[in-house]
Amino acid sequence: MKLIKYDDPWNHSLSDFDQLLSRVFGERWTPESLFGEIAPDGRARGFRLDSYVDDEGYHVVAELPGIPKEQIEIRLENAVLKIGGEHTVGEGENKRTFRFSRSLTVGNDIAADRVTAKMENGLLTIHLPKTEEFKPRAITVE
Amino acid sequence: MKTELTKQPEANLAARRNLHVRPEYRVEEQEHAYRVLVYLPGVSRGDASITLEKDVLTIEARRAQLRDDRWQVVHREIPEADFRLQLQLNVKIEENEITAHSDNGVLTVNLPIAEALKPRTIAIE
């Protein structure tokens, strides 16, 4: 018996190929379920993000393909970074707007005025540098 | 007793990179074509390739390097593997007229339905 994890990023399926026509009628997801906080079936699912840290600061990478950077709001408040926005999909009568948002805790040693964000090919990268006084320093013993 | 996690040797990482992840995608039906939208974050136009062999459409793409090697991981959700999507075209497609364009990490492939399959009205004599 093959166990298939429901939210499996490897997306293994029983067959090697997907069929073009079956995908039209049996859509498993919509942009809302990919980015929005709650999927239509109630499963909580948002866009994927990674967070890293080094001596210089924190770095956050988020997958937001197809979202123009003007529709992304980034907020840093009390050591919590919030990435969100509103996105419109569809044309004509199929037009829908949905909100997406994810928050994560970073650190409270961030120089807020030096935070930068870059959007490239649908990948959002945010750099949050630490303030000078919080950077690790070697201390010599006298 | 070792209390620190040892770093993965480079060889393992390279081997893992050969695994592929199927990207999220959707298929839209249009009047005379099917449109496949493949979500490929971090992939620029030059890093993606589309090939058609018999009736299998293969889309492969290299993921951009997400992180600097000096960065320590705090939280990780994005797989490192490259993308591969294989679609069996169980509809007849006009192969010479397939077009594709890439925008902000979304690859859109236009698959026009073959002429012979387009609906035709037949006059009654």
Side-chain angles (χ1 to χ4, degrees):
Chain A
M1 184 185 80
K2 192 170 171 179
L3 267 177
I4 299 171
K5 263 186 4 179
Y6 194 45
D7 192 12
D8 183 3
W10 300 91
N11 271 325
H12 287 139
S13 74
L14 292 171
S15 71
D16 275 337
F17 310 144
D18 271 2
Q19 303 216 312
L20 180 71
L21 207 46
S22 71
R23 251 315 176 104
V24 175
F25 299 115
E27 292 214 324
R28 279 185 308 170
W29 63 271
T30 56
E32 288 96 316
S33 64
L34 181 64
F35 298 120
E37 276 187 316
I38 304 291
D41 55 1
R43 174 167 59 105
R45 162 88 191 261
F47 52 90
R48 289 202 193 104
L49 58 80
D50 286 355
S51 76
Y52 306 90
V53 68
D54 68 356
D55 288 346
E56 288 301 310
Y58 303 86
H59 314 272
V60 176
V61 181
E63 286 186 334
L64 291 165
I67 312 254
K69 56 183 187 216
E70 300 78 31
Q71 290 180 0
I72 302 175
E73 296 156 6
I74 304 172
R75 251 181 99 82
L76 179 63
E77 197 171 334
N78 288 338
V80 172
L81 177 72
K82 185 164 147 181
I83 303 169
E86 241 180 44
H87 184 51
T88 311
V89 283
E91 289 142 30
E93 51 183 37
N94 284 335
K95 211 168 190 169
R96 350 184 256 287
T97 306
F98 62 91
R99 287 203 63 87
F100 57 92
S101 169
R102 272 192 80 172
S103 307
L104 69 151
T105 310
V106 281
N108 51 10
D109 49 352
I110 293 170
D113 50 343
R114 284 192 289 133
V115 175
T116 59
K118 187 176 65 165
M119 181 69 158
E120 198 169 335
N121 291 321
L123 209 61
L124 175 71
T125 311
I126 306 173
H127 297 290
L128 305 117
K130 295 186 190 176
T131 50
E132 281 306 314
E133 58 204 29
F134 280 108
K135 282 193 191 163
R137 253 185 311 215
I139 300 164
T140 51
V141 180
E142 293 192 42
Chain B
M1 183 184 78
K2 267 203 173 147
T3 51
E4 235 184 61
L5 282 171
T6 50
K7 250 182 119 74
Q8 286 271 3
E10 273 309 306
N12 277 1
L13 263 156
R16 255 195 294 155
R17 275 207 138 234
N18 279 327
L19 288 171
H20 290 97
V21 167
R22 192 187 342 156
E24 302 280 0
Y25 71 100
R26 62 190 272 118
V27 180
E28 285 174 2
E29 190 177 355
Q30 316 228 282
E31 213 181 306
H32 294 303
Y34 286 104
R35 198 160 71 162
V36 181
L37 293 117
V38 191
Y39 281 52
L40 303 167
V43 175
S44 60
R45 201 154 37 109
D47 289 330
S49 74
I50 307 173
T51 46
L52 180 62
E53 199 176 314
K54 288 202 194 145
D55 62 345
V56 175
L57 184 74
T58 305
I59 296 167
E60 281 180 308
R62 274 191 71 78
R63 223 186 250 273
Q65 176 80 336
L66 283 177
R67 52 181 272 213
D68 196 301
D69 285 329
R70 291 168 302 173
W71 296 355
Q72 272 183 305
V73 176
V74 174
H75 183 75
R76 188 78 167 275
E77 287 169 7
I78 303 174
E80 271 188 334
D82 293 333
F83 295 105
R84 180 196 279 161
L85 172 67
Q86 289 191 300
L87 270 184
Q88 184 166 41
L89 304 177
N90 49 355
V91 199
K92 199 82 177 68
I93 300 290
E94 201 68 55
E95 295 174 13
N96 298 328
E97 311 224 343
I98 298 178
T99 57
H101 69 93
S102 170
D103 181 34
N104 201 23
V106 180
L107 175 70
T108 308
V109 185
N110 211 50
L111 302 157
I113 303 177
E115 277 302 318
L117 286 179
K118 286 192 187 157
R120 259 180 315 197
T121 51
I122 299 161
I124 305 169
E125 293 194 41

PDB file of all heavy atoms in Angstrom, chain A residues 85-117:
ATOM      1  N   GLY A  85      -1.176  40.584   1.171  1.00  0.00           N
ATOM      2  CA  GLY A  85      -1.651  41.434   0.090  1.00  0.00           C
ATOM      3  C   GLY A  85      -2.956  40.924  -0.462  1.00  0.00           C
ATOM      4  O   GLY A  85      -3.546  39.973   0.055  1.00  0.00           O
ATOM      5  N   GLU A  86      -3.347  41.578  -1.547  1.00  0.00           N
ATOM      6  CA  GLU A  86      -4.597  41.220  -2.206  1.00  0.00           C
ATOM      7  C   GLU A  86      -4.289  40.931  -3.652  1.00  0.00           C
ATOM      8  O   GLU A  86      -3.577  41.689  -4.282  1.00  0.00           O
ATOM      9  CB  GLU A  86      -5.550  42.418  -2.133  1.00  0.00           C
ATOM     10  CG  GLU A  86      -6.812  42.108  -1.388  1.00  0.00           C
ATOM     11  CD  GLU A  86      -7.735  43.299  -1.322  1.00  0.00           C
ATOM     12  OE1 GLU A  86      -7.894  43.966  -2.350  1.00  0.00           O
ATOM     13  OE2 GLU A  86      -8.258  43.529  -0.230  1.00  0.00           O
ATOM     14  N   HIS A  87      -4.853  39.869  -4.174  1.00  0.00           N
ATOM     15  CA  HIS A  87      -4.548  39.510  -5.564  1.00  0.00           C
ATOM     16  C   HIS A  87      -5.827  39.245  -6.329  1.00  0.00           C
ATOM     17  O   HIS A  87      -6.760  38.639  -5.793  1.00  0.00           O
ATOM     18  CB  HIS A  87      -3.655  38.275  -5.564  1.00  0.00           C
ATOM     19  CG  HIS A  87      -3.207  37.869  -6.925  1.00  0.00           C
ATOM     20  ND1 HIS A  87      -2.625  38.743  -7.816  1.00  0.00           N
ATOM     21  CD2 HIS A  87      -3.267  36.687  -7.561  1.00  0.00           C
ATOM     22  CE1 HIS A  87      -2.344  38.100  -8.932  1.00  0.00           C
ATOM     23  NE2 HIS A  87      -2.721  36.849  -8.816  1.00  0.00           N
ATOM     24  N   THR A  88      -5.852  39.705  -7.553  1.00  0.00           N
ATOM     25  CA  THR A  88      -7.041  39.515  -8.383  1.00  0.00           C
ATOM     26  C   THR A  88      -6.719  38.524  -9.490  1.00  0.00           C
ATOM     27  O   THR A  88      -5.698  38.646 -10.156  1.00  0.00           O
ATOM     28  CB  THR A  88      -7.441  40.860  -9.018  1.00  0.00           C
ATOM     29  OG1 THR A  88      -7.464  41.839  -7.994  1.00  0.00           O
ATOM     30  CG2 THR A  88      -8.817  40.765  -9.650  1.00  0.00           C
ATOM     31  N   VAL A  89      -7.584  37.558  -9.666  1.00  0.00           N
ATOM     32  CA  VAL A  89      -7.378  36.599 -10.766  1.00  0.00           C
ATOM     33  C   VAL A  89      -8.633  36.528 -11.599  1.00  0.00           C
ATOM     34  O   VAL A  89      -9.704  36.908 -11.174  1.00  0.00           O
ATOM     35  CB  VAL A  89      -7.056  35.170 -10.263  1.00  0.00           C
ATOM     36  CG1 VAL A  89      -5.653  35.066  -9.793  1.00  0.00           C
ATOM     37  CG2 VAL A  89      -8.037  34.742  -9.198  1.00  0.00           C
ATOM     38  N   GLY A  90      -8.463  36.008 -12.778  1.00  0.00           N
ATOM     39  CA  GLY A  90      -9.616  35.766 -13.633  1.00  0.00           C
ATOM     40  C   GLY A  90      -9.989  36.982 -14.440  1.00  0.00           C
ATOM     41  O   GLY A  90      -9.548  38.091 -14.176  1.00  0.00           O
ATOM     42  N   GLU A  91     -10.792  36.733 -15.425  1.00  0.00           N
ATOM     43  CA  GLU A  91     -11.230  37.827 -16.285  1.00  0.00           C
ATOM     44  C   GLU A  91     -12.735  37.861 -16.327  1.00  0.00           C
ATOM     45  O   GLU A  91     -13.394  36.837 -16.194  1.00  0.00           O
ATOM     46  CB  GLU A  91     -10.711  37.613 -17.707  1.00  0.00           C
ATOM     47  CG  GLU A  91      -9.220  37.804 -17.833  1.00  0.00           C
ATOM     48  CD  GLU A  91      -8.617  36.797 -18.789  1.00  0.00           C
ATOM     49  OE1 GLU A  91      -9.338  36.379 -19.719  1.00  0.00           O
ATOM     50  OE2 GLU A  91      -7.466  36.413 -18.587  1.00  0.00           O
ATOM     51  N   GLY A  92     -13.235  39.033 -16.532  1.00  0.00           N
ATOM     52  CA  GLY A  92     -14.673  39.208 -16.729  1.00  0.00           C
ATOM     53  C   GLY A  92     -15.466  38.703 -15.536  1.00  0.00           C
ATOM     54  O   GLY A  92     -15.249  39.094 -14.404  1.00  0.00           O
ATOM     55  N   GLU A  93     -16.384  37.795 -15.808  1.00  0.00           N
ATOM     56  CA  GLU A  93     -17.248  37.340 -14.712  1.00  0.00           C
ATOM     57  C   GLU A  93     -16.522  36.375 -13.777  1.00  0.00           C
ATOM     58  O   GLU A  93     -16.998  36.071 -12.701  1.00  0.00           O
ATOM     59  CB  GLU A  93     -18.502  36.683 -15.274  1.00  0.00           C
ATOM     60  CG  GLU A  93     -18.200  35.611 -16.304  1.00  0.00           C
ATOM     61  CD  GLU A  93     -19.470  35.042 -16.901  1.00  0.00           C
ATOM     62  OE1 GLU A  93     -20.423  35.820 -17.105  1.00  0.00           O
ATOM     63  OE2 GLU A  93     -19.504  33.825 -17.126  1.00  0.00           O
ATOM     64  N   ASN A  94     -15.364  35.891 -14.196  1.00  0.00           N
ATOM     65  CA  ASN A  94     -14.612  34.985 -13.336  1.00  0.00           C
ATOM     66  C   ASN A  94     -13.646  35.711 -12.429  1.00  0.00           C
ATOM     67  O   ASN A  94     -12.852  35.098 -11.738  1.00  0.00           O
ATOM     68  CB  ASN A  94     -13.808  33.989 -14.183  1.00  0.00           C
ATOM     69  CG  ASN A  94     -14.693  32.918 -14.752  1.00  0.00           C
ATOM     70  OD1 ASN A  94     -15.732  32.634 -14.185  1.00  0.00           O
ATOM     71  ND2 ASN A  94     -14.292  32.342 -15.870  1.00  0.00           N
ATOM     72  N   LYS A  95     -13.727  37.042 -12.448  1.00  0.00           N
ATOM     73  CA  LYS A  95     -12.751  37.812 -11.690  1.00  0.00           C
ATOM     74  C   LYS A  95     -12.997  37.656 -10.199  1.00  0.00           C
ATOM     75  O   LYS A  95     -14.115  37.815  -9.725  1.00  0.00           O
ATOM     76  CB  LYS A  95     -12.927  39.294 -12.060  1.00  0.00           C
ATOM     77  CG  LYS A  95     -11.671  40.078 -11.990  1.00  0.00           C
ATOM     78  CD  LYS A  95     -11.870  41.445 -12.636  1.00  0.00           C
ATOM     79  CE  LYS A  95     -10.515  42.127 -12.766  1.00  0.00           C
ATOM     80  NZ  LYS A  95     -10.626  43.294 -13.609  1.00  0.00           N
ATOM     81  N   ARG A  96     -11.931  37.309  -9.441  1.00  0.00           N
ATOM     82  CA  ARG A  96     -12.097  37.231  -8.013  1.00  0.00           C
ATOM     83  C   ARG A  96     -10.859  37.825  -7.356  1.00  0.00           C
ATOM     84  O   ARG A  96      -9.771  37.752  -7.884  1.00  0.00           O
ATOM     85  CB  ARG A  96     -12.249  35.777  -7.530  1.00  0.00           C
ATOM     86  CG  ARG A  96     -12.439  34.800  -8.650  1.00  0.00           C
ATOM     87  CD  ARG A  96     -12.678  33.422  -8.242  1.00  0.00           C
ATOM     88  NE  ARG A  96     -11.510  32.571  -8.402  1.00  0.00           N
ATOM     89  CZ  ARG A  96     -11.033  32.130  -9.551  1.00  0.00           C
ATOM     90  NH1 ARG A  96     -11.598  32.514 -10.679  1.00  0.00           N
ATOM     91  NH2 ARG A  96      -9.991  31.331  -9.588  1.00  0.00           N
ATOM     92  N   THR A  97     -11.080  38.371  -6.189  1.00  0.00           N
ATOM     93  CA  THR A  97      -9.982  38.944  -5.409  1.00  0.00           C
ATOM     94  C   THR A  97      -9.881  38.188  -4.109  1.00  0.00           C
ATOM     95  O   THR A  97     -10.885  37.908  -3.465  1.00  0.00           O
ATOM     96  CB  THR A  97     -10.264  40.426  -5.103  1.00  0.00           C
ATOM     97  OG1 THR A  97     -10.521  41.094  -6.331  1.00  0.00           O
ATOM     98  CG2 THR A  97      -9.071  41.089  -4.435  1.00  0.00           C
ATOM     99  N   PHE A  98      -8.687  37.837  -3.721  1.00  0.00           N
ATOM    100  CA  PHE A  98      -8.544  37.162  -2.440  1.00  0.00           C
ATOM    101  C   PHE A  98      -7.344  37.723  -1.717  1.00  0.00           C
ATOM    102  O   PHE A  98      -6.413  38.253  -2.332  1.00  0.00           O
ATOM    103  CB  PHE A  98      -8.405  35.645  -2.639  1.00  0.00           C
ATOM    104  CG  PHE A  98      -7.194  35.240  -3.416  1.00  0.00           C
ATOM    105  CD1 PHE A  98      -5.990  34.951  -2.771  1.00  0.00           C
ATOM    106  CD2 PHE A  98      -7.253  35.147  -4.800  1.00  0.00           C
ATOM    107  CE1 PHE A  98      -4.880  34.580  -3.510  1.00  0.00           C
ATOM    108  CE2 PHE A  98      -6.144  34.769  -5.525  1.00  0.00           C
ATOM    109  CZ  PHE A  98      -4.951  34.488  -4.880  1.00  0.00           C
ATOM    110  N   ARG A  99      -7.370  37.586  -0.420  1.00  0.00           N
ATOM    111  CA  ARG A  99      -6.286  38.070   0.416  1.00  0.00           C
ATOM    112  C   ARG A  99      -5.363  36.915   0.764  1.00  0.00           C
ATOM    113  O   ARG A  99      -5.805  35.797   0.943  1.00  0.00           O
ATOM    114  CB  ARG A  99      -6.846  38.649   1.721  1.00  0.00           C
ATOM    115  CG  ARG A  99      -7.541  39.974   1.567  1.00  0.00           C
ATOM    116  CD  ARG A  99      -7.534  40.711   2.890  1.00  0.00           C
ATOM    117  NE  ARG A  99      -6.171  41.017   3.306  1.00  0.00           N
ATOM    118  CZ  ARG A  99      -5.504  42.108   2.942  1.00  0.00           C
ATOM    119  NH1 ARG A  99      -6.092  42.999   2.156  1.00  0.00           N
ATOM    120  NH2 ARG A  99      -4.284  42.318   3.365  1.00  0.00           N
ATOM    121  N   PHE A 100      -4.087  37.198   0.879  1.00  0.00           N
ATOM    122  CA  PHE A 100      -3.156  36.189   1.362  1.00  0.00           C
ATOM    123  C   PHE A 100      -2.289  36.850   2.419  1.00  0.00           C
ATOM    124  O   PHE A 100      -2.021  38.043   2.362  1.00  0.00           O
ATOM    125  CB  PHE A 100      -2.301  35.626   0.223  1.00  0.00           C
ATOM    126  CG  PHE A 100      -1.511  36.654  -0.528  1.00  0.00           C
ATOM    127  CD1 PHE A 100      -0.214  36.969  -0.144  1.00  0.00           C
ATOM    128  CD2 PHE A 100      -2.065  37.318  -1.610  1.00  0.00           C
ATOM    129  CE1 PHE A 100       0.516  37.918  -0.836  1.00  0.00           C
ATOM    130  CE2 PHE A 100      -1.337  38.262  -2.307  1.00  0.00           C
ATOM    131  CZ  PHE A 100      -0.052  38.562  -1.919  1.00  0.00           C
ATOM    132  N   SER A 101      -1.887  36.103   3.396  1.00  0.00           N
ATOM    133  CA  SER A 101      -1.097  36.698   4.470  1.00  0.00           C
ATOM    134  C   SER A 101      -0.407  35.625   5.280  1.00  0.00           C
ATOM    135  O   SER A 101      -0.989  34.575   5.551  1.00  0.00           O
ATOM    136  CB  SER A 101      -2.015  37.518   5.381  1.00  0.00           C
ATOM    137  OG  SER A 101      -1.327  37.894   6.553  1.00  0.00           O
ATOM    138  N   ARG A 102       0.827  35.877   5.646  1.00  0.00           N
ATOM    139  CA  ARG A 102       1.525  34.977   6.559  1.00  0.00           C
ATOM    140  C   ARG A 102       2.404  35.831   7.444  1.00  0.00           C
ATOM    141  O   ARG A 102       3.013  36.807   7.002  1.00  0.00           O
ATOM    142  CB  ARG A 102       2.385  33.968   5.805  1.00  0.00           C
ATOM    143  CG  ARG A 102       1.636  32.720   5.436  1.00  0.00           C
ATOM    144  CD  ARG A 102       2.553  31.664   4.959  1.00  0.00           C
ATOM    145  NE  ARG A 102       3.195  30.973   6.067  1.00  0.00           N
ATOM    146  CZ  ARG A 102       3.933  29.885   5.899  1.00  0.00           C
ATOM    147  NH1 ARG A 102       4.150  29.410   4.719  1.00  0.00           N
ATOM    148  NH2 ARG A 102       4.486  29.295   6.940  1.00  0.00           N
ATOM    149  N   SER A 103       2.491  35.451   8.704  1.00  0.00           N
ATOM    150  CA  SER A 103       3.353  36.189   9.628  1.00  0.00           C
ATOM    151  C   SER A 103       4.397  35.257  10.173  1.00  0.00           C
ATOM    152  O   SER A 103       4.145  34.065  10.342  1.00  0.00           O
ATOM    153  CB  SER A 103       2.543  36.726  10.811  1.00  0.00           C
ATOM    154  OG  SER A 103       1.453  37.451  10.350  1.00  0.00           O
ATOM    155  N   LEU A 104       5.563  35.793  10.440  1.00  0.00           N
ATOM    156  CA  LEU A 104       6.553  34.972  11.125  1.00  0.00           C
ATOM    157  C   LEU A 104       7.358  35.842  12.074  1.00  0.00           C
ATOM    158  O   LEU A 104       7.534  37.039  11.850  1.00  0.00           O
ATOM    159  CB  LEU A 104       7.472  34.251  10.124  1.00  0.00           C
ATOM    160  CG  LEU A 104       8.452  35.060   9.312  1.00  0.00           C
ATOM    161  CD1 LEU A 104       9.657  34.224   8.989  1.00  0.00           C
ATOM    162  CD2 LEU A 104       7.818  35.513   8.022  1.00  0.00           C
ATOM    163  N   THR A 105       7.847  35.225  13.127  1.00  0.00           N
ATOM    164  CA  THR A 105       8.629  35.964  14.102  1.00  0.00           C
ATOM    165  C   THR A 105      10.064  36.006  13.628  1.00  0.00           C
ATOM    166  O   THR A 105      10.635  34.976  13.251  1.00  0.00           O
ATOM    167  CB  THR A 105       8.578  35.247  15.460  1.00  0.00           C
ATOM    168  OG1 THR A 105       7.220  34.980  15.761  1.00  0.00           O
ATOM    169  CG2 THR A 105       9.164  36.118  16.549  1.00  0.00           C
ATOM    170  N   VAL A 106      10.648  37.170  13.623  1.00  0.00           N
ATOM    171  CA  VAL A 106      12.061  37.272  13.313  1.00  0.00           C
ATOM    172  C   VAL A 106      12.771  37.608  14.627  1.00  0.00           C
ATOM    173  O   VAL A 106      12.670  36.896  15.592  1.00  0.00           O
ATOM    174  CB  VAL A 106      12.336  38.266  12.172  1.00  0.00           C
ATOM    175  CG1 VAL A 106      12.034  37.622  10.837  1.00  0.00           C
ATOM    176  CG2 VAL A 106      11.532  39.538  12.312  1.00  0.00           C
ATOM    177  N   GLY A 107      13.486  38.709  14.693  1.00  0.00           N
ATOM    178  CA  GLY A 107      14.142  39.039  15.953  1.00  0.00           C
ATOM    179  C   GLY A 107      13.825  40.474  16.285  1.00  0.00           C
ATOM    180  O   GLY A 107      13.322  41.220  15.445  1.00  0.00           O
ATOM    181  N   ASN A 108      14.124  40.914  17.483  1.00  0.00           N
ATOM    182  CA  ASN A 108      13.899  42.330  17.782  1.00  0.00           C
ATOM    183  C   ASN A 108      15.217  43.095  17.741  1.00  0.00           C
ATOM    184  O   ASN A 108      15.360  44.151  18.327  1.00  0.00           O
ATOM    185  CB  ASN A 108      13.200  42.512  19.119  1.00  0.00           C
ATOM    186  CG  ASN A 108      13.925  41.739  20.214  1.00  0.00           C
ATOM    187  OD1 ASN A 108      15.016  41.240  20.007  1.00  0.00           O
ATOM    188  ND2 ASN A 108      13.300  41.649  21.370  1.00  0.00           N
ATOM    189  N   ASP A 109      16.185  42.544  17.027  1.00  0.00           N
ATOM    190  CA  ASP A 109      17.466  43.219  16.903  1.00  0.00           C
ATOM    191  C   ASP A 109      17.677  43.681  15.468  1.00  0.00           C
ATOM    192  O   ASP A 109      18.790  43.684  14.965  1.00  0.00           O
ATOM    193  CB  ASP A 109      18.599  42.279  17.334  1.00  0.00           C
ATOM    194  CG  ASP A 109      18.484  40.907  16.671  1.00  0.00           C
ATOM    195  OD1 ASP A 109      17.458  40.660  16.009  1.00  0.00           O
ATOM    196  OD2 ASP A 109      19.412  40.105  16.811  1.00  0.00           O
ATOM    197  N   ILE A 110      16.572  44.048  14.831  1.00  0.00           N
ATOM    198  CA  ILE A 110      16.644  44.392  13.412  1.00  0.00           C
ATOM    199  C   ILE A 110      16.686  45.898  13.200  1.00  0.00           C
ATOM    200  O   ILE A 110      15.974  46.638  13.870  1.00  0.00           O
ATOM    201  CB  ILE A 110      15.418  43.810  12.669  1.00  0.00           C
ATOM    202  CG1 ILE A 110      15.506  42.295  12.683  1.00  0.00           C
ATOM    203  CG2 ILE A 110      15.345  44.309  11.241  1.00  0.00           C
ATOM    204  CD1 ILE A 110      14.256  41.653  12.208  1.00  0.00           C
ATOM    205  N   ALA A 111      17.534  46.317  12.270  1.00  0.00           N
ATOM    206  CA  ALA A 111      17.570  47.725  11.881  1.00  0.00           C
ATOM    207  C   ALA A 111      16.465  47.940  10.861  1.00  0.00           C
ATOM    208  O   ALA A 111      16.632  47.703   9.671  1.00  0.00           O
ATOM    209  CB  ALA A 111      18.937  48.043  11.272  1.00  0.00           C
ATOM    210  N   ALA A 112      15.315  48.390  11.323  1.00  0.00           N
ATOM    211  CA  ALA A 112      14.125  48.453  10.473  1.00  0.00           C
ATOM    212  C   ALA A 112      14.307  49.335   9.254  1.00  0.00           C
ATOM    213  O   ALA A 112      13.717  49.097   8.204  1.00  0.00           O
ATOM    214  CB  ALA A 112      12.936  48.944  11.300  1.00  0.00           C
ATOM    215  N   ASP A 113      15.157  50.358   9.353  1.00  0.00           N
ATOM    216  CA  ASP A 113      15.293  51.254   8.208  1.00  0.00           C
ATOM    217  C   ASP A 113      16.183  50.671   7.124  1.00  0.00           C
ATOM    218  O   ASP A 113      16.275  51.216   6.041  1.00  0.00           O
ATOM    219  CB  ASP A 113      15.827  52.611   8.671  1.00  0.00           C
ATOM    220  CG  ASP A 113      17.062  52.456   9.533  1.00  0.00           C
ATOM    221  OD1 ASP A 113      17.298  51.328  10.029  1.00  0.00           O
ATOM    222  OD2 ASP A 113      17.791  53.439   9.708  1.00  0.00           O
ATOM    223  N   ARG A 114      16.829  49.530   7.418  1.00  0.00           N
ATOM    224  CA  ARG A 114      17.703  48.968   6.386  1.00  0.00           C
ATOM    225  C   ARG A 114      17.148  47.664   5.798  1.00  0.00           C
ATOM    226  O   ARG A 114      17.861  46.926   5.141  1.00  0.00           O
ATOM    227  CB  ARG A 114      19.104  48.725   6.961  1.00  0.00           C
ATOM    228  CG  ARG A 114      19.889  50.020   7.106  1.00  0.00           C
ATOM    229  CD  ARG A 114      21.349  49.755   7.399  1.00  0.00           C
ATOM    230  NE  ARG A 114      21.549  49.242   8.741  1.00  0.00           N
ATOM    231  CZ  ARG A 114      22.319  48.185   9.024  1.00  0.00           C
ATOM    232  NH1 ARG A 114      22.935  47.546   8.064  1.00  0.00           N
ATOM    233  NH2 ARG A 114      22.451  47.783  10.257  1.00  0.00           N
ATOM    234  N   VAL A 115      15.880  47.411   6.047  1.00  0.00           N
ATOM    235  CA  VAL A 115      15.273  46.188   5.515  1.00  0.00           C
ATOM    236  C   VAL A 115      15.020  46.362   4.019  1.00  0.00           C
ATOM    237  O   VAL A 115      14.516  47.382   3.584  1.00  0.00           O
ATOM    238  CB  VAL A 115      13.946  45.888   6.239  1.00  0.00           C
ATOM    239  CG1 VAL A 115      13.253  44.698   5.606  1.00  0.00           C
ATOM    240  CG2 VAL A 115      14.190  45.646   7.710  1.00  0.00           C
ATOM    241  N   THR A 116      15.412  45.364   3.240  1.00  0.00           N
ATOM    242  CA  THR A 116      15.186  45.447   1.792  1.00  0.00           C
ATOM    243  C   THR A 116      14.382  44.231   1.335  1.00  0.00           C
ATOM    244  O   THR A 116      14.463  43.162   1.935  1.00  0.00           O
ATOM    245  CB  THR A 116      16.520  45.453   1.010  1.00  0.00           C
ATOM    246  OG1 THR A 116      17.228  44.257   1.313  1.00  0.00           O
ATOM    247  CG2 THR A 116      17.346  46.663   1.342  1.00  0.00           C
ATOM    248  N   ALA A 117      13.622  44.433   0.282  1.00  0.00           N
ATOM    249  CA  ALA A 117      12.839  43.325  -0.274  1.00  0.00           C
ATOM    250  C   ALA A 117      12.979  43.358  -1.789  1.00  0.00           C
ATOM    251  O   ALA A 117      12.952  44.414  -2.399  1.00  0.00           O
ATOM    252  CB  ALA A 117      11.371  43.449   0.123  1.00  0.00           C
TER     253      ALA A 117
END
